Amino acid sequence: MSVSELRNLLGMESGEHPAKQLCPGRIKKDNSAMSALTDTVTNACDPFTNPATESNKLLNIATGKSASDGTQVYLLKALQRGHEKHQKFQNECAEDNQRFLKPISRTTVENFVKENRKKKKKTSMAVAKVAAENSRDVFGRILLVASETIPSFDLKHILFFPVTDVPLCLAHSDGSLVKTQKSEFMKTLETRQTELLTRTSLPVIDATLIDGGLLLHTELLFAKGTYGNIARHILSKVCACRGKAIHVLFDKYNDSSIKQVERTRRGTDGTPFVIAGPEQLPKQSGSQLLKNGNFKDEPARFLLRKWTKDHYGFIIGQKTIYAFYGGHCVKLTHDSMIGSVLAEEPENLQGDHEEADTLIAFHVASIGGNILIRASDTDVLVILLGMLGTQSETERSSRRLIMDCGAGNNRRYIDISNLADELEKKSIGLAAALPGLHAFTGCDFTSSFYRKGKVRQLAMMEEDDSGRYLQAVRSLMSQQPPDEVGLSSLVCAMYGQK
């Protein structure tokens, strides 16, 4: 310090000249840095305002994530735990003169830094696969030795028993479900249409139903700005859909769910997340955020909370918005006379649905007119075809159900009503049996048959003139015990037994 001062007094230290600070390039650079700093401060989440203060979770204002239970307990009880350890150390030193020189056990730290570290997920599939292969090889050597030494050795009888806990025709070596390409089943069903629709040939649409999960995946991947801007952008997209009534239907993420196996397979994250306010900025990309099941719940809550604000009325305009999440449906309309958004709760649309797939069918059954369904899931198509299959031809002809699926160059329309009619012409009861066939051949919570897809079994049902396979599959959808003999015959025929 003294050397620097001495050099300044002697004129040996030359500071930055004012003229250099006034250069256009320097001014532009300083203004850009100041603007970035201002935007960061302006867009930062205020943890001392609602709804952040309404949450009982500790919030990380840098990422917007709420603390897990372990982190919250650790941080809130840090002083108490430190006092207890201090007292314990003093007592140990009083009892043992050498205790002060001995090492202190390390305390595991649970904080936001640890939560944000990337965790390498250890899958048991590789370990189980190696174990199964080793058991197979040892078993093979034993069989070879036994077959050469025992004359009456029946190799066919021994090979009847599987090496793994679950037969490999229904599961992988680690016990996980065998999956099949549901999209191939959807493409096969599309080919049964006789009336192909385009954007210009669509009939007059009375209502549009939107899968909220697809909406979030489509918009969040390219969304920019704060969550408030994202909410306005999504509402604008919703209100641009056909029909006067727009139904936006969101999934509900339950911890104890029959889809937990599928979520584990996809590597779904379960980190707690809270959107504290409209000024909060996403700290991760849309694809990373959507891997978190708790995050999927949060945008739905946030959108339902924000869309009821009066300043969203000019976006809603003459439309009627039905937003559904977690068993709660809200009807939103704009009253231009008083300039406010009116929120109602229609009694006929309240219900508890975990998945938007069944929720879409519930809303279709509750409203009338021509309906456009914006969804890309095979499950939605199969459920709606099964619902139409239980109706008479007169009921099906009274309105049209059209599915808007795909994205970009793959965007297309499926005439579900026409498809149901064609399936019923092929075989009476075929459309109604599709949900049973879909579940039997593999879905999110049931295993498929190894290297046996859905298309083959659909063709077998259509080719069966006796209708035995069709009735066996339909028995899965009744409250009575299923036709095990008929289902066994279908599986045996699928593997080539005549």
Side-chain angles (χ1 to χ4, degrees):
M1 182 68 181
S2 59
V3 176
S4 299
E5 292 293 336
L6 181 60
R7 291 174 65 89
N8 288 332
L9 290 174
L10 296 176
M12 299 175 64
E13 191 76 28
S14 59
E16 189 176 22
H17 198 275
K20 188 176 182 180
Q21 298 179 358
L22 298 176
C23 292
R26 180 61 179 271
I27 294 175
K28 182 178 180 181
K29 181 179 179 181
D30 292 343
N31 289 338
S32 177
M34 186 63 187
S35 177
L37 178 61
T38 304
D39 292 341
T40 301
V41 174
T42 303
N43 296 327
C45 166
D46 186 357
F48 306 106
T49 59
N50 290 333
T53 55
E54 297 177 355
S55 174
N56 58 357
K57 295 282 188 179
L58 293 180
L59 299 180
N60 186 343
I61 60 176
T63 62
K65 292 184 178 180
S66 60
S68 63
D69 294 338
T71 301
Q72 181 159 331
V73 171
Y74 178 85
L75 294 177
L76 293 179
K77 295 185 177 181
L79 294 178
Q80 176 185 348
R81 185 170 50 256
H83 178 71
E84 292 175 353
K85 288 184 176 294
H86 180 228
Q87 289 293 122
K88 180 181 179 182
F89 181 72
Q90 286 183 332
N91 296 335
E92 291 176 351
C93 290
E95 297 174 359
D96 185 3
N97 295 332
Q98 300 297 322
R99 176 65 184 89
F100 186 80
L101 301 176
K102 295 179 181 179
I104 301 175
S105 59
R106 179 177 296 180
T107 301
T108 304
V109 178
E110 300 287 344
N111 54 16
F112 287 112
V113 175
K114 184 177 180 181
E115 285 190 356
N116 292 332
R117 290 175 185 165
K118 293 184 178 180
K119 301 177 182 178
K120 294 183 179 180
K121 298 181 179 179
K122 296 182 180 179
T123 59
S124 60
M125 185 172 183
V127 178
K129 182 179 180 181
V130 172
E133 290 176 349
N134 293 338
S135 300
R136 177 200 60 193
D137 295 341
V138 174
F139 187 57
R141 295 188 184 99
I142 294 174
L143 291 179
L144 180 61
V145 173
S147 61
E148 293 177 351
T149 56
I150 303 175
S152 61
F153 181 77
D154 190 352
L155 185 62
K156 181 178 180 181
H157 175 71
I158 298 298
L159 293 177
F160 178 80
F161 301 95
V163 180
T164 56
D165 295 335
V166 182
L168 293 178
C169 62
L170 294 174
H172 295 292
S173 55
D174 64 337
S176 60
L177 302 180
V178 175
K179 307 303 293 184
T180 185
Q181 291 291 338
K182 295 191 294 184
S183 58
E184 295 298 325
F185 188 46
M186 187 176 186
K187 292 178 182 178
T188 302
L189 291 174
E190 287 184 57
T191 60
R192 310 300 169 90
Q193 298 178 96
T194 58
E195 300 179 11
L196 299 180
L197 295 174
T198 62
R199 187 177 182 84
T200 56
S201 63
L202 289 176
V204 177
I205 299 299
D206 298 299
T208 297
L209 275 60
I210 304 176
D211 182 350
L214 176 62
L215 180 65
L216 292 178
H217 276 79
T218 304
E219 302 303 329
L220 284 180
L221 290 179
F222 308 101
K224 296 181 179 180
T226 64
Y227 284 109
N229 294 334
I230 294 174
R232 286 190 291 271
H233 174 73
I234 292 179
L235 183 59
S236 300
K237 288 285 187 179
V238 168
C239 293
C241 294
R242 297 170 181 257
K244 185 177 180 181
I246 313 295
H247 298 242
V248 186
L249 313 173
F250 292 99
D251 294 329
K252 181 181 178 183
Y253 192 92
N254 293 331
D255 293 333
S256 57
S257 171
I258 58 176
K259 290 193 64 176
Q260 192 61 39
V261 175
E262 178 67 13
R263 291 168 182 164
T264 303
R265 187 185 70 86
R266 295 176 182 175
T268 305
D269 185 15
T271 306
F273 196 97
V274 173
I275 298 179
E279 291 79 21
Q280 182 178 336
L281 280 169
K283 299 299 182 180
Q284 294 177 293
S285 64
S287 58
Q288 290 295 325
L289 289 172
L290 290 170
K291 291 181 180 179
N292 188 345
N294 293 331
F295 173 79
K296 294 179 182 179
D297 279 344
E298 199 60 26
R301 296 192 191 98
F302 177 72
L303 293 178
L304 263 67
R305 189 168 61 241
K306 294 300 295 181
W307 288 352
T308 57
K309 304 298 182 182
D310 292 339
H311 58 270
Y312 285 93
F314 75 96
I315 302 178
I316 297 176
Q318 301 299 319
K319 299 281 187 176
T320 302
I321 307 297
Y322 294 87
F324 190 104
Y325 167 75
H328 183 62
C329 183
V330 179
K331 176 184 176 183
L332 304 175
T333 55
H334 178 231
D335 190 336
S336 58
M337 298 295 294
I338 60 177
S340 63
V341 175
L342 304 179
E344 305 175 20
E345 297 183 1
E347 295 183 0
N348 64 319
L349 295 179
Q350 306 297 329
D352 189 12
H353 292 261
E354 178 183 355
E355 288 290 315
D357 305 343
T358 57
L359 186 56
I360 289 174
F362 172 66
H363 278 243
V364 168
S366 303
I367 60 179
N370 297 332
I371 301 175
L372 181 67
I373 298 101
R374 174 64 179 137
S376 293
D377 197 344
T378 305
D379 299 346
V380 176
L381 176 61
V382 170
I383 292 173
L384 292 176
L385 285 172
M387 185 183 72
L388 292 179
T390 60
Q391 299 176 356
S392 64
E393 186 176 356
T394 304
E395 290 177 312
R396 291 197 300 269
S397 62
S398 62
R399 61 174 179 172
R400 296 182 71 178
L401 300 183
I402 301 171
M403 187 172 178
D404 177 6
C405 60
N409 294 332
N410 291 325
R411 191 80 174 261
R412 60 200 186 278
Y413 297 95
I414 302 176
D415 193 340
I416 304 178
S417 299
N418 173 254
L419 181 56
D421 290 338
E422 295 302 319
L423 291 173
E424 288 298 306
K425 290 178 182 178
K426 183 71 176 180
S427 180
I428 298 177
L430 181 58
L434 286 182
L437 175 66
H438 184 52
F440 184 66
T441 55
C443 59
D444 288 343
F445 49 87
T446 58
S447 177
S448 61
F449 296 95
Y450 181 68
R451 301 190 69 177
K452 302 295 180 182
K454 301 173 180 293
V455 178
R456 171 58 181 158
Q457 297 201 38
L458 175 63
M460 292 173 58
M461 289 173 55
E462 292 176 334
E463 296 169 0
D464 181 28
D465 296 333
S466 64
R468 182 184 181 185
Y469 297 155
L470 179 62
Q471 296 301 322
V473 172
R474 291 197 65 177
S475 68
L476 293 170
M477 305 168 57
S478 67
Q479 297 181 355
Q480 302 298 323
D483 183 4
E484 296 183 3
V485 176
L487 293 173
S488 299
S489 300
L490 175 60
V491 174
C492 291
M494 177 178 59
Y495 280 99
Q497 182 177 355
K498 298 181 180 181

